[in-house]
Amino acid sequence: AGDDVPGRQEPAQPFNARTYVLSALGQCAAFSPHIEASLRTPAPSGYDTDSIGAHDFLTNTAFLLEQAGFGALLPAWWTRKGTKQRLAVRATVKSPKLQADAEFTLERILRVDWEVALGGEPLALAELKALAKLKAPLVRVRGQWVELNPDEIGAALAFWKSKGTETSARDVLKMAMGGVPATGGLEFAGISATGWMGDLLRRLDGGDRLEELEPPEGLLGTLRPYQSRGFSWLAFMRTWGFGACLADDMGLGKSIQTLAVIARDWEAGDRRPSLIVCPTSVVANWQNEVSRFTPGLPVMVHHGLERAKGAAFRKAADAHAIVVSTYALLQRDFEFLERVDWRSVVLDEAQNIKNPETKQARAARSLRAGYRVALTGTPVENNVGDLWSLMEFLNPGWLGTQAEFRRAFFLPIQTTHDEEASARLKRLTAPFVLRRLKSDRTVIADLPDKLEMKVYCSLTKEQASLYQAVADEATEAIATLAGIERRGLVLATLMKLKQVCNHPAQFLGDNSAVPGRSGKLARLTEMLEEALAEGDRALVFTQFAAMGEILKRHVQETFGRETIFLHGGVPKAKRDQMVRSFQTDGGPPVFVLSLKAGGTGLNLTAANRVFHFDRWWNPAVEDQATDRAFRIGQSRKVQVHKFVCAGTLEEKIDEMIESKKQVAERVVGTGEGWLTELSTDQLRELFALREDAVGD
């Protein structure tokens, strides 16, 4: 009855630890027959086992116990991170003190001492054989227990039998940079190098600061700090015979850095010619860059119908420091280009060889050269496959065959976004690619707020034919006129010749096809492609409404991006809407403007590129147009590109203005009327078309 009293509880049973532990151990018995057998003794305290049983407990039983809620206290040598040591292969390369010379190649043979190591400690062949005989997953090596896979030991023994004592510098460098996979399934523990190879590896890896060189005496102008570093880097790569890719953003001065290296070689007594290959639209630009920065270097332009060929070309090339040619001629004239012993081959706009199967890419790779340089603002345009073609030109074989590259890098990176493959590819290519961005504060701090440069373009054959016809007709008529009639004809001829320089379709007014007919338009397209890839926004100025329409249509069709055009016929409301649209984030990246309609009164600070497609021969007018972007509110550096057709009246008038720079505005006035006062002989010279003005 007393048990029914409400609130009454049974007295608590005392806790019996022994019983609890035995019960828990009984549950453990389900996970291992060894535990079950040990519990049958009067005082269970564990069980003895061999190395195979211990390995089974560490890898299987301990995991099952932890999953069931039991704690498993394992030895520190097993659980501590990094103590599960594996066999690894490492190499030691001994070379004499640094003795760089022009004959260094990646094929140089080096002596390599190989060893198999465990936990950083080398193992002798006898020790490996003894471990193989044990055939146990847990072995005691030099007082420490280690888990070793019998397959690894077998691979180590096989490696020991097959290892060589000599290998190429190329393979040593690739191994040091992680480009060689594990040997026979073994880890690669790196390379220890002394002498010049050790110095080289440290410099390529960024461990040693690159020595900055003094610029050559024949270089005019001052290298900015980042340009000095780029020149020194190119010279270092050239010293060791490595191909180098200078991948600076457009406008950072890739040409002056390249010319500095060529001039340094020339002054050191190496008088072999250097070949610069570029798009036809850039030939004149290189010619002027050489004249501007290294006037002491004899330069030869190899293009046009009258170009030298065969033995005559080889003789002429050997007499010059620089030969400038084009991608089109690289394949067409390869028969005699390949016979020249080039000091260097430089590919400008090197993305032109991104497709390794093209004839021009094959030709570029086949040229003989002491060293090779690629200049591009876009080393990878479409996919990492572009990088193989570029590196195959610079350092043949560095990334393996095309099939090997596709298997090791292209497919893993492009299809599965393999981060390890991306990191390995970057490590392999980084020493040979110098990439500087305008957005990098260490670079942009060295740039002026407004960087102005002239872009020299060639005429197409069609343009040259039209130009010559207009000039001949005008020169004959001007000689018979005087006064206002003469001045009127001179101005009309100037307009016609400028239209021809812009585009035949503008001059003819026939709505004919646009692509492939204008050197200027080809160069603008190339520069806009790079600018848009960098996320830049651009203003493109022209004097002519008809040319503005052509530009707008061409840019839209080429890049598939909205392009707006402001000219004098646009109503104010529409004009204001265009400005708002361009100034808005995500707005049209290219704004085409007629110089008169867009030259003043607009705030277009969203742009950081300004292109003057054709020139208004008054510096003040051009500056006013440029200041649509370069004004209060502009947070980025502004690059200004002034297009000039080399060998035409555009270049000659530009030279006249430059020679009177300080008084140009007073001399030139506000328009082009000053040109009408030139004599007939002066006009004949002004209109004359230089032979080298025409592209291929």
Side-chain angles (χ1 to χ4, degrees), residues 316-442:
D318 286 337
H320 291 82
I322 295 173
V323 176
V324 181
S325 191
T326 67
Y327 284 102
L329 294 181
L330 186 59
Q331 179 262 326
R332 197 180 308 165
D333 292 350
F334 179 73
E335 181 181 352
F336 49 87
L337 286 172
E338 70 167 335
R339 296 181 183 176
V340 177
D341 181 19
W342 300 107
R343 180 69 187 98
S344 62
V345 172
V346 179
L347 299 188
D348 188 20
E349 305 289 355
Q351 63 272 18
N352 279 276
I353 65 162
K354 65 184 178 183
N355 183 348
E357 303 304 324
T358 61
K359 291 182 179 179
Q360 61 190 29
R362 292 173 183 267
R365 295 197 298 268
S366 300
L367 291 173
R368 289 187 298 152
Y371 65 97
R372 301 177 178 195
V373 176
L375 306 178
T376 177
T378 53
V380 177
E381 276 196 318
N382 301 319
N383 54 58
V384 294
D386 298 347
L387 205 52
W388 184 86
S389 185
L390 190 67
M391 290 302 297
E392 187 66 9
F393 163 73
L394 294 173
N395 299 302
W398 182 252
L399 295 179
T401 65
Q402 198 170 2
E404 290 169 341
F405 178 84
R406 181 176 177 81
R407 185 167 54 251
F409 297 109
F410 181 83
L411 290 177
I413 293 172
Q414 296 293 141
T415 61
T416 62
H417 307 290
D418 188 326
E419 293 185 3
E420 189 278 331
S422 296
R424 192 155 50 91
L425 180 59
K426 182 176 181 180
R427 181 165 171 77
L428 273 173
T429 57
F432 308 104
V433 181
L434 183 59
R435 176 81 165 131
R436 272 92 61 91
L437 308 176
K438 296 190 297 293
S439 56
D440 186 338
R441 297 300 301 175
T442 62

Side-chain angles (χ1 to χ4, degrees), residues 49-316:
T49 186
D50 56 15
S51 60
I52 295 176
H55 184 261
D56 179 68
F57 181 88
L58 292 170
T59 56
N60 297 314
T61 306
F63 173 76
L64 294 173
L65 289 170
E66 289 176 345
Q67 291 295 304
F70 294 96
L73 186 61
L74 303 178
W77 57 265
W78 178 268
T79 57
R80 191 179 304 122
K81 185 178 181 181
T83 58
K84 293 184 180 180
Q85 300 170 1
R86 293 190 60 193
L87 290 174
V89 174
R90 66 186 185 188
T92 300
V93 178
K94 295 180 180 179
S95 59
K97 190 177 179 181
L98 182 64
Q99 293 179 349
D101 58 70
E103 301 306 317
F104 177 86
T105 71
L106 291 176
E107 306 309 320
R108 178 176 288 188
I109 300 301
L110 299 172
R111 178 177 176 81
V112 179
D113 294 323
W114 295 94
E115 64 182 19
V116 176
L118 181 65
E121 294 293 326
L123 293 178
L125 178 59
E127 289 178 295
L128 272 177
K129 289 180 177 179
L131 291 174
K133 288 181 180 179
L134 293 175
K135 296 181 180 180
L138 276 182
V139 295
R140 196 169 182 83
V141 181
R142 297 178 185 175
Q144 182 173 337
W145 285 100
V146 179
E147 180 188 25
L148 282 182
N149 186 324
D151 291 339
E152 286 186 24
I153 300 175
L157 286 171
F159 170 77
W160 202 290
K161 294 177 182 178
S162 64
K163 66 178 181 176
T165 58
E166 292 184 339
T167 190
S168 67
R170 176 198 310 280
D171 287 339
V172 170
L173 290 171
K174 288 176 72 172
M175 286 187 290
M177 296 174 188
V180 175
T183 304
L186 299 174
E187 287 186 350
F188 182 69
I191 288 180
S192 172
T194 60
W196 61 261
M197 177 54 76
D199 292 339
L200 177 59
L201 287 174
R202 284 190 295 275
R203 292 187 186 183
L204 288 176
D205 203 34
D208 282 358
R209 183 178 177 83
L210 191 67
E211 177 188 1
E212 287 201 29
L213 304 175
E214 290 294 323
E217 293 181 2
L219 184 72
L220 300 186
T222 303
L223 293 174
R224 296 190 173 91
Y226 71 88
Q227 292 174 332
S228 179
R229 294 191 294 272
F231 152 64
S232 300
W233 177 77
L234 286 173
F236 168 77
M237 301 299 281
R238 187 269 298 150
T239 297
W240 291 97
F242 295 136
C245 175
L246 185 58
D248 287 346
D249 268 353
M250 185 192 300
L252 294 184
K254 292 188 284 291
S255 58
I256 189 175
Q257 296 173 70
T258 305
L259 291 173
V261 176
I262 295 175
R264 187 171 185 265
D265 285 343
W266 188 261
E267 292 178 7
D270 191 333
R271 296 303 172 96
R272 286 178 290 171
S274 291
L275 175 65
I276 296 176
V277 182
C278 60
T280 304
S281 58
V282 190
V283 169
N285 219 53
W286 270 105
Q287 190 175 9
N288 281 275
E289 294 284 85
V290 175
S291 299
R292 176 185 175 191
F293 295 122
T294 53
L297 296 183
V299 59
M300 165 185 168
V301 174
H302 178 70
H303 83 134
L305 296 176
E306 303 301 320
R307 66 185 184 276
K309 297 180 181 179
F313 168 80
R314 295 198 300 275
K315 182 177 180 180

Side-chain angles (χ1 to χ4, degrees), residues 20-31 35 39:
Y20 178 81
V21 171
L22 289 173
S23 175
L25 288 173
Q27 297 176 44
C28 292
F31 301 108
I35 296 176
L39 292 177

Side-chain angles (χ1 to χ4, degrees), residues 457-460 463 466-467 494-508 514 516-524 541-548 550-551 612-615 617 643-645 648-650:
C457 310
S458 302
L459 298 180
T460 62
Q463 284 177 296
L466 291 171
Y467 188 102
L494 287 173
M495 289 298 104
K496 289 179 180 179
L497 293 177
K498 290 174 73 173
Q499 289 173 5
V500 170
C501 288
N502 279 355
H503 199 289
Q506 182 196 353
F507 172 71
L508 298 171
V514 171
R517 300 172 64 194
S518 164
K520 261 191 191 180
L521 189 61
R523 186 61 185 139
L524 176 68
F541 284 100
T542 176
Q543 293 181 51
F544 307 98
M547 191 65 222
I550 292 173
L551 289 170
H612 290 286
F613 189 75
D614 45 61
R615 309 288 299 282
W617 301 118
F643 282 55
V644 177
C645 278
T648 71
L649 86 162
E650 291 192 336

